[in-house]
Amino acid sequence: MSTHPSTVPVRAMLVLGTRPEAIKLAPVARAMTSDAQFEPIVVTTGQHREMLHQMLGLLGVEARIALDVMRNRQQLSELTARLVGELGVALREQRPDLVVVQGDTTTALAGALAAFYEKIPVAHVEAGLRTGVIDNPFPEELNRSLIGRIARWHFAPTPRAARHLADEGVPADQVFTTGNTVIDNLLWVLAEGTGASAFRTTARRILVTLHRRENQGERMRGMGRALTRLARRGDVEIVLPLHKSPAVRDALLPELDGQAGIRLVEPLDYVDFAATLAECDLVLTDSGGIQEEAPSLSKPTLVLRTTTERPEAVEAGAARLIGTDPDAIVGCAERLLDDPAEYRRMAGAGNPFGDGRASARVLAQLAEDFAAEVPVGLTTSGPYSAA
């Protein structure tokens, strides 16, 4: 690929399919829209169709292309094949200068793979997260590792993530530590002040999010029983936005529906979720992004997983990785609820994930490289160089 004329905007296709991708790419898309050096082309795949389209407008993002890849209870292999095929068509029609993917979803992997097939360079936002266990979380750990073999730009949220990439042989001149764009978006949304909290009482407020594939089934039913035990204390209000996944609902509804002290709500749009997070006292989650958002608002977080690709929050003391055993969940939550000194220690640990300027750093690096006197291709050096 030749150098890009400085007078022509860089056409950047941002591929997103899930709610977390929209949240983390929205500040990049907004920044590109307001920068004459870029022309953003936002493509939604529909992987989280209902949750995604209810929020894009609220985040100031307009999708130019909307695909429809989801089928009821389809297998990952079917979803991946459909995504690669339809994204390939979109890429051939639009011919962007680069493709931007975020994180570790099936959409992100398919976007990177389709771009590679079309010989279009890939920028990976939130690169370098690793647990070291190929199937935990599943399939995200493999997805992000594979994207790491394809990407030309690796925008790592933390120094640890950048070190993971260096350890895997990614050339140093392709890795950039930026902070996490999720902080950019959280601060923007809270500044807008348009969200409404889902909490309704003055009790101790616990926000819970559960959805991971590896936790579904009996393990998630056990988590539901743990939440019931916490609710029976009588001094807490638990809000749980129910994921749209039938497997999640099949596990949680029989355990939690109708329980006093537990509010099951439909998935919140992001501005309402941000307001709910800002108002809670404690977070219990198996999600990824909330492990980054909660510390920025001084919310102690218990991570209901056996591994995490975001150990920075754990090391800082803002989060704890406690596993999925119901007794451990109840015990750790009650310690924070009943021990003010322990609660203050976690709440005051700080946020290791950035200062809210990650998107500006992403754009600055892309603008510099496209304006440089060297060609921008799939790679510039290293074991996967086109040379």
Side-chain angles (χ1 to χ4, degrees), residues 281 294-295 297-300 317-318 336 341-350:
D281 297 300
L297 300 179
S298 301
K299 308 299 180 181
L336 287 168
E342 183 66 15
Y343 183 91
R344 285 194 298 272
R345 276 194 291 273
M346 287 193 73

Side-chain angles (χ1 to χ4, degrees), residues 317-368:
R320 287 187 184 147
L321 187 67
I322 65 170
T324 60
D325 177 73
D327 291 336
I329 294 170
V330 173
C332 290
E334 290 194 324
R335 182 179 178 189
L336 287 168
L337 292 169
D338 298 334
D339 186 340
E342 183 66 15
Y343 183 91
R344 285 194 298 272
R345 276 194 291 273
M346 287 193 73
N351 175 27
F353 294 108
D355 58 4
R357 300 191 66 251
S359 300
R361 297 185 183 100
V362 168
L363 262 64
Q365 188 61 53
L366 292 174
E368 178 183 329

Side-chain angles (χ1 to χ4, degrees), residues 141-155:
E141 178 73 4
L142 179 63
N143 288 350
R144 55 189 170 229
S145 298
L146 293 175
I147 297 169
R149 309 301 284 268
I150 296 171
R152 161 63 178 81
W153 295 272
H154 305 258
F155 294 114

